[in-house]
Amino acid sequence: MKLSQFRQLVDEEFGPSFAAVILADTRLTEKSDKTPLELLKTGDDPREVWLALCSHLGVPKERWHGKPRTKQHAEN
């Protein structure tokens, strides 16, 4: 997973403003009690950080790969 994909998933799940707080303040106990930003800065895989964040915050597993997309129908 690219870092840009990671950021997109976090923003979609939590909203851009709250995502910034989560990334800076959430301590992931299963990842050496570091924040997601600390982990990414030290080179951890964004996918592993995302999955740890989802698990830690109780994101439903069906959204671990992003929120389901709905098809938009063109109006005539």
Side-chain angles (χ1 to χ4, degrees):
M1 170 186 293
K2 294 180 182 180
L3 188 56
S4 60
Q5 293 168 311
F6 171 84
R7 292 295 293 198
Q8 181 180 355
L9 288 170
V10 175
D11 285 350
E12 286 178 0
E13 184 62 39
F14 303 107
S17 297
F18 191 47
V21 173
I22 286 172
L23 293 176
D25 294 344
T26 302
R27 295 268 170 204
L28 298 174
T29 53
E30 65 187 64
K31 290 283 197 177
S32 304
D33 202 39
K34 293 182 179 179
T35 68
L37 288 180
E38 291 170 335
L39 292 166
L40 293 170
K41 285 180 184 177
T42 60
D44 278 42
D45 178 25
R47 182 178 186 280
E48 294 301 318
V49 176
W50 168 246
L51 294 175
L53 187 62
C54 288
S55 176
H56 183 79
L57 294 178
V59 173
K61 286 192 178 191
E62 62 268 13
R63 294 201 312 251
W64 286 20
H65 298 287
K67 288 188 174 182
R69 303 278 183 214
T70 58
K71 293 183 181 180
Q72 294 182 354
H73 300 284
E75 293 183 20
N76 295 330

